[in-house]
Amino acid sequence: QKEVEQDPGPLSVPEGAIVSLNCTYSNSAFQYFMWYRQYSRKGPELLMYTYSSGNKEDGRFTAQVDKSSKYISLFIRDSQPSDSATYLCAMTIYNFNKFYFGSGTKLNVKP
Amino acid sequence: DTAVSQTPKYLVTQMGNDKSIKCEQNLGHDTMYWYKQDSKKFLKIMFSYNNKELIINETVPNRFSPKSPDKAHLNLHINSLELGDSAVYFCASSHTQMTGPDSPLHFGNGTRLTVT
């Protein structure tokens, strides 16, 4: 079993839709959760991070962590065609030296 | 200015050849990494260096040899290339080797290696 599981999609939605992207994990020691966005032919770039259970909001993006269920989510409100990318979740133990990635969900937002 | 830059962007070569990929970061970070991304987009760490010292060496064939001449540079040399080495190789850096919100990963744009 992989440490982090993520539905690969692809997920296709119309512009303006609310998008929900999810990851599950098996290691209850994970404390620090990140979402990276990767455009085609580019490297992943950090979108958001959270360091506890609960929600964190940044503009149209909300990251949610449910440690009891070992489940994290990224919500995108009012999705735009420019949001079309692969979204990778990543997590780690604070002050460890390794990140664990999900395999990414490909999102396509249609105009 | 590109923060993490790697060259070449594309590499097409035949089985059995030896090739190198170079990476440089201008962020002043202490730690650099090589990740391999397969066709299913799964990112797997290969190596990590902190201030030129190897700190992570995942179960990677010894045909892969990283070298860090200084903390701003991390190169990857691959001997006797095999078909299964075809992937996108990403260089990344972080402020320190200790993971946390003040030390996220910064990735280059990848080197797409195709072995024929």
Side-chain angles (χ1 to χ4, degrees):
Chain A
Q1 184 191 6
K2 283 184 183 164
E3 299 265 7
V4 181
E5 299 278 0
Q6 186 174 5
D7 187 335
L11 186 59
S12 188
V13 301
E15 185 175 351
I18 297 174
V19 175
S20 171
L21 304 165
N22 310 297
C23 289
T24 58
Y25 61 94
S26 55
N27 188 344
S28 57
F30 286 142
Q31 300 169 285
Y32 171 37
F33 304 91
M34 293 147 282
W35 285 96
Y36 280 82
R37 178 175 59 196
Q38 184 177 14
Y39 290 116
S40 181
R41 306 280 169 162
K42 297 287 187 185
E45 53 178 345
L46 182 66
L47 193 59
M48 290 186 72
Y49 69 84
T50 57
Y51 187 48
S52 62
S53 283
N55 293 356
K56 181 177 180 180
E57 197 171 311
D58 184 1
R60 296 185 295 111
F61 298 89
T62 300
Q64 191 174 77
V65 175
D66 182 348
K67 281 190 174 178
S68 60
S69 303
K70 299 198 193 78
Y71 189 88
I72 70 169
S73 300
L74 178 71
F75 297 97
I76 308 174
R77 286 184 301 283
D78 187 25
S79 55
Q80 302 295 308
S82 58
D83 295 328
S84 297
T86 296
Y87 290 79
L88 301 122
C89 63
M91 47 200 79
T92 187
I93 302 165
Y94 190 58
N95 275 350
F96 189 47
N97 61 4
K98 198 169 156 183
F99 294 86
Y100 295 84
F101 282 86
S103 54
T105 300
K106 186 168 183 177
L107 172 67
N108 180 32
V109 181
K110 298 173 290 186
Chain B
D1 279 348
T2 305
V4 181
S5 58
Q6 49 184 116
T7 55
K9 197 170 178 179
Y10 298 96
L11 193 47
V12 181
T13 188
Q14 291 185 324
M15 282 174 56
N17 283 349
D18 303 338
K19 290 292 178 187
S20 291
I21 307 171
K22 296 185 180 220
C23 179
E24 175 181 2
Q25 54 97 1
N26 62 6
L27 295 165
H29 288 168
D30 286 344
T31 310
M32 295 185 74
Y33 310 78
W34 280 112
Y35 278 84
K36 179 180 180 180
Q37 188 173 49
D38 61 25
S39 57
K40 294 184 179 177
K41 296 289 191 183
F42 184 64
L43 267 171
K44 186 173 166 50
I45 190 165
M46 301 172 70
F47 302 102
S48 171
Y49 272 75
N50 188 66
N51 273 322
K52 303 191 296 177
E53 288 195 25
L54 182 67
I55 54 169
I56 293 177
N57 182 351
E58 292 292 288
T59 47
V60 177
N62 58 15
R63 298 181 295 103
F64 290 78
S65 50
K67 277 197 172 55
S68 182
D70 56 61
K71 74 173 194 177
H73 295 84
L74 179 63
N75 303 323
L76 183 66
H77 187 76
I78 316 169
N79 288 326
S80 305
L81 277 154
E82 299 177 357
L83 290 176
D85 297 332
S86 296
V88 182
Y89 292 84
F90 284 100
C91 178
S93 71
S94 63
H95 181 54
T96 72
Q97 62 177 305
M98 294 305 173
T99 54
D102 54 350
S103 191
L105 291 171
H106 295 255
F107 286 89
N109 282 327
T111 295
R112 188 172 295 270
L113 172 65
T114 303
V115 182
T116 61

